[in-house]
Amino acid sequence: MERLRAVLDAAGATAVVPGDIRRQPWAEFLFVVPRGGLGAVKDATIGGFRSRPGTRRLPAGAVTEIHRIARAHGIALPAGTVPSTPAFVDR
């Protein structure tokens, strides 16, 4: 990871090596999958999800389920991840 970071830094890209490499994909998964998958099924953008009360709950429920699965696999996601993910989208 450090060699890859050095190459990316040398190319002018900022690269961050996460402290827990197993946790990072789950954190990304929490954000991307609910919006991408449900957006495709419901044919809605993030803005569309936010503006419809019926669909606004769907990504939040998916984030909660993904968080539970990560914990079951021993992945320690940061406290507050579930409420902070929809809040990030709202910002």
Side-chain angles (χ1 to χ4, degrees):
M1 288 300 300
E2 288 298 331
R3 286 187 352 201
L4 177 58
R5 185 197 55 76
V7 168
L8 291 170
D9 285 347
T14 301
V16 177
V17 176
D20 182 350
I21 196 68
R22 290 184 47 211
R23 183 171 74 183
Q24 190 61 35
W26 282 93
E28 298 293 329
F29 192 62
L30 277 170
F31 180 76
V32 173
V33 170
R35 278 138 201 92
L38 293 171
V41 168
K42 289 295 199 175
D43 192 25
T45 63
I46 290 175
F49 271 111
R50 290 180 64 238
S51 65
R52 299 180 203 161
T55 57
R56 185 173 174 83
R57 291 186 307 266
L58 293 173
V63 166
T64 299
E65 186 62 22
I66 293 166
H67 188 265
R68 287 179 183 151
I69 294 167
R71 286 182 49 191
H73 285 278
I75 306 299
L77 294 169
T81 298
V82 171
S84 69
T85 301
F88 175 76
V89 171
D90 287 342
R91 284 192 306 275

